[in-house]
Structure formats: C-alpha cells, structure tokens
Amino acid sequence: GLEIIKSQIIAAIMLIQLAAVSLHSRVHPCVFISAGGICIAQSLKIPHEHKPSDFDKIIRQLLDTRYARTVVLFASDEDIRGILNASKRADQVGHFLWIGSDSWGSKNSPIHQLEDAAVGAITILPKRATISGFDAYFMSRTLENNRRNVWFAEYWEENFNCKLMSSSKKDDSSRKCTGQERIGVDSKYEQEGKVQFVIDAVYAMAHALHNMQRDLCPDVSGICLEMELAGGKKLLKYIRSVSFNGSAGTSVTFNRNGDAPGRYDLFQYQRSNGTGSGYRAVGQWTETLQLNVSLILVLVLTGSWF
Ligand SMILES: *[C@@H]1O[C@H](CO)[C@@H](O)[C@H](O)[C@H]1NC(C)=O
Ligand SMILES: *[C@@H]1O[C@H](CO)[C@@H](O)[C@H](O)[C@H]1NC(C)=O
Ligand SMILES: *[C@@H]1O[C@H](CO)[C@@H](O)[C@H](O)[C@H]1NC(C)=O
Ligand SMILES: *[C@@H]1O[C@H](CO)[C@@H](O)[C@H](O)[C@H]1NC(C)=O
C-alpha cells in the first residue's frame, strides 16, 4: 500500500510541478523506474552514526541531479531534522519538495525551528480513530483497581511526577503520591495513536483462534488434540483469513501479503498563519488516491531546473 500511495502522491505532485519540465528534451538518468512509472534519480542512505557534515554531503549529492526536486524521506525525526537543517546550511530552502513517511506524519518534532525549510512538504499518516471506550477504561484506572499492568506503579510515578511508598526511585526529593491522583484530571491525557490497531490485532488473533477451534474441535468446547498439534503455519492461515468490523468500525482483513488495507490521511505543511499548526489535511488514500488539489499549496521552487 505504502509504495502505491507514495508513487501516486509523487505522480500528483509531478503533474503540478513538472509540467514545465516535460517541455525540455533532456534525457534524465534514472536509477530505476518504480512501479508507478516514476523516475528515481538516486537512492541515498543516511549513515547510522552521523555528523552534520554527513547531511551536508547528502544535500550535495541530491543537488547533483538538480532537476530531481522531489525527495521522499524514510527517516526518523532526528534524521529529518538533519536533512532540513543541511538544506538551510546549503542555502537551498525552496529547492526541494519533501515527501514524508508516516514517521514524519503531522508531528512538530521533526521541523521545530526548521519550519521554513519544511514548507510545502507532503506527509502521510495512517488513518486512526480515537476509541472512546479505551479512554473511559484507562482514565478510570487507579492504584487500587489496576490488576494486571505490572508497570502501572512506575507509570503512576512518571505521569504524576511523584513517588510511591513502594518506589524504587532513588531520587529523595520528589514529592509523595497521594494515590488520589486521577489520569486526565491531574495530568494531561491523550490517547496514544495506535490504540485502535492494538485492539484490532488482539481481536484478529481471537477470531482466528475461535475459527480454528470450530473447525478442528467441532465436538468440544475447549482445545482438542488436533488443535494442539496444528502448529503456527495453520494458525497463521486462520489469522490471515479473518474478516470482522474493527474497533473503529472499519473492516479488518489481510491481503495476500498479510497486509491490512492501507488507509492514510495526506497532509501538507503550509506556512503557519498564526491559527495553529501548519499541517493541513489535503487528501486521503483508501484503495485509491483522493487529493484535494484546491487545498495544496503549489510551491514555486527556487533556482533553475537545469
Ligand atoms: C542546525 O545545525 C547547526 C550546525 O550543526 C546547529 O548548530 C543548529 O543547532 C541546528 N539547528 C536546528 C534548529 O536544529
Ligand atoms: C460491519 O459493519 C457494517 C456496516 O456498519 C455492517 O453492515 C456489517 O454487517 C458488519 N459486519 C459484521 C461482520 O459485523
Ligand atoms: C490560516 O490557515 C488555515 C489552515 O491552513 C486556514 O483554514 C485559514 O483560512 C488561514 N487563514 C488565513 C487568514 O489565511
Ligand atoms: C476540497 O477543499 C475545499 C475547501 O476546504 C472544500 O470546499 C471541498 O469540498 C474539498 N473537496 C473534496 C473533494 O474534499
């Protein structure tokens, strides 16, 4: 899914950005043509242990193929910052059009204080829903009623910045927890973004085990010998063939490769105009690309094309 979505986004951007380029007759050296028919001019690796000069080198290499303006980044927050910062050092803000993977998403951490270099970037994020039942459950957890989370006490101390009697915390200076603190009341609480997928994954496993049990042990209510001996391969077959409505109401299935259907929101980082964050939802991808072109800021990229 991700590959298709990327090539389609790039294709869409190319249509906007490269209309002028197609008028030129110069042949571009392609490293390879992707499935979407996109010419990939280069593919670079960010070194594991890197210095600012490594990012400077990457920018220099990207500039070697000056007509290739679109850069797809599969990188961590820190590496995205390194690249954006290096593009500033090289005085190349506005030269590149960035496409960010879901690790960039709509986060501020990769672009903080580098916003000017990020303007125009297109990013993707898996569609996610907030599961209200989870909030109701989690916010009602206390030291008394938590029965199964072995890390809960540690979370409590961390979350409320206090110390429990049973604490293994070395620091003597922190204040004592009262035990009356409440999640979401005495601390900020926001649902972690992947809760939906964790719930669905657990249900996928449960549905698979249930279907397997029905097939292999039709006459017993528990696990029979045949199921015990069935093995992981057989279980995997059952997992891959589940189909049910997930926690957010969307269907949960797996394709031939074992991937769930791709469902993404697309964002563009636009120059902030004072009304909050600069990421703007500009489209989505669910089986097909739906791009709201009227919301996309068309960059006038700086410099000459050749
Ligand atoms: C950009 O890089 C320079 C040089 O390495 C560094 O001093 C500066 O803090 C970086 N800026 C940001 C916003 O990360
Ligand atoms: C899933 O939801 C749809 C619409 O909400 C409904 O029509 C369908 O019957 C549900 N499927 C299952 C397996 O519950
Ligand atoms: C500011 O940006 C937001 C979102 O990008 C947009 O809805 C709004 O119209 C903009 N306001 C102005 C004054 O440009
Ligand atoms: C695109 O965005 C505009 C402005 O927000 C909106 O009026 C229009 O309905 C959107 N089109 C689609 C297909 O979402």
Side-chain angles (χ1 to χ4, degrees):
L2 218 58
E3 286 316 307
I4 298 166
I5 187 180
K6 295 236 165 68
S7 51
Q8 289 199 30
I9 300 169
I10 298 171
I13 303 301
M14 293 279 184
L15 285 180
I16 300 164
Q17 298 281 348
L18 300 189
V21 170
S22 62
L23 301 175
H24 293 262
S25 58
R26 181 161 163 174
V27 178
H28 306 153
C30 285
V31 168
F32 61 91
I33 311 269
S34 76
I38 304 295
C39 168
I40 311 285
Q42 349 181 14
S43 175
L44 303 174
K45 218 175 232 168
I46 299 167
H48 231 349
E49 307 221 340
H50 45 65
K51 307 178 284 300
S53 62
D54 291 319
F55 291 113
D56 293 332
K57 186 174 162 206
I58 285 173
I59 293 293
R60 274 200 308 280
Q61 287 174 318
L62 289 173
L63 288 169
D64 278 347
T65 45
R66 286 194 72 84
Y67 53 81
R69 302 293 196 104
T70 304
V71 178
V72 182
L73 286 166
F74 293 95
S76 65
D77 289 13
E78 218 33 58
D79 291 348
I80 293 166
R81 297 183 61 77
I83 296 278
L84 294 178
N85 200 350
S87 79
K88 284 182 77 162
R89 282 197 296 272
D91 199 19
Q92 294 294 337
V93 169
H95 180 83
F96 296 110
L97 178 68
W98 312 109
I99 308 258
S101 71
D102 50 342
S103 71
W104 183 335
S106 56
K107 286 190 295 198
N108 280 319
S109 46
I111 59 168
H112 182 60
Q113 291 182 345
L114 297 163
E115 290 87 352
D116 50 338
V119 167
I122 302 274
T123 60
I124 69 172
L125 208 52
K127 275 186 181 296
R128 50 179 74 168
T130 301
I131 309 301
S132 57
F134 180 83
D135 284 349
Y137 169 78
F138 192 74
M139 287 165 72
S140 69
R141 292 303 87 191
T142 63
L143 290 169
E144 286 77 39
N145 67 20
N146 167 61
R147 286 283 173 273
R148 44 184 178 185
N149 190 334
V150 293
W151 297 288
F152 198 70
E154 197 178 324
Y155 163 78
W156 198 268
E157 292 187 319
E158 196 65 31
N159 189 49
F160 297 113
N161 189 28
C162 61
K163 197 173 151 174
L164 292 166
M165 299 282 265
S166 59
S167 181
S168 54
K169 254 186 170 178
K170 294 278 184 314
D171 181 10
D172 277 334
S173 63
S174 41
R175 62 189 181 82
K176 289 205 163 24
C177 305
T178 64
Q180 299 306 305
E181 296 88 356
R182 287 297 168 261
I183 298 166
V185 177
D186 301 305
S187 64
K188 255 172 77 172
Y189 168 74
E190 189 185 350
Q191 189 169 118
E192 204 278 329
K194 296 189 175 75
V195 165
Q196 175 197 342
F197 306 120
V198 175
I199 294 173
D200 290 351
V202 172
Y203 271 93
M205 186 64 95
H207 278 286
L209 287 169
H210 177 78
N211 295 340
M212 192 177 183
Q213 195 273 344
R214 297 284 36 156
D215 279 355
L216 300 184
C217 323
D219 305 320
V220 255
S221 62
I223 290 176
C224 58
L225 187 64
E226 197 169 338
M227 187 162 170
E228 266 180 48
L229 300 176
K233 263 204 178 127
K234 196 147 198 180
L235 175 59
L236 183 59
K237 239 183 64 197
Y238 279 96
I239 294 173
R240 285 193 167 187
S241 52
V242 297
S243 172
F244 61 97
N245 286 340
S247 54
T250 50
S251 94
V252 177
T253 56
F254 299 101
N255 66 16
R256 227 161 11 97
N257 301 323
D259 292 322
R263 299 166 46 81
Y264 297 92
D265 283 318
L266 313 183
F267 298 89
Q268 185 180 40
Y269 185 74
Q270 302 185 351
R271 201 176 292 282
S272 186
N273 58 14
T275 55
S277 162
Y279 289 102
R280 192 169 199 189
V282 294
Q284 60 172 340
W285 192 87
T286 50
E287 306 301 319
T288 57
L289 176 67
Q290 293 161 275
L291 208 54
N292 195 333
V293 177
S294 69
L295 298 179
I296 293 186
L297 165 83
V298 178
L299 293 179
V300 179
L301 297 178
T302 58
S304 65
W305 285 96
F306 295 100

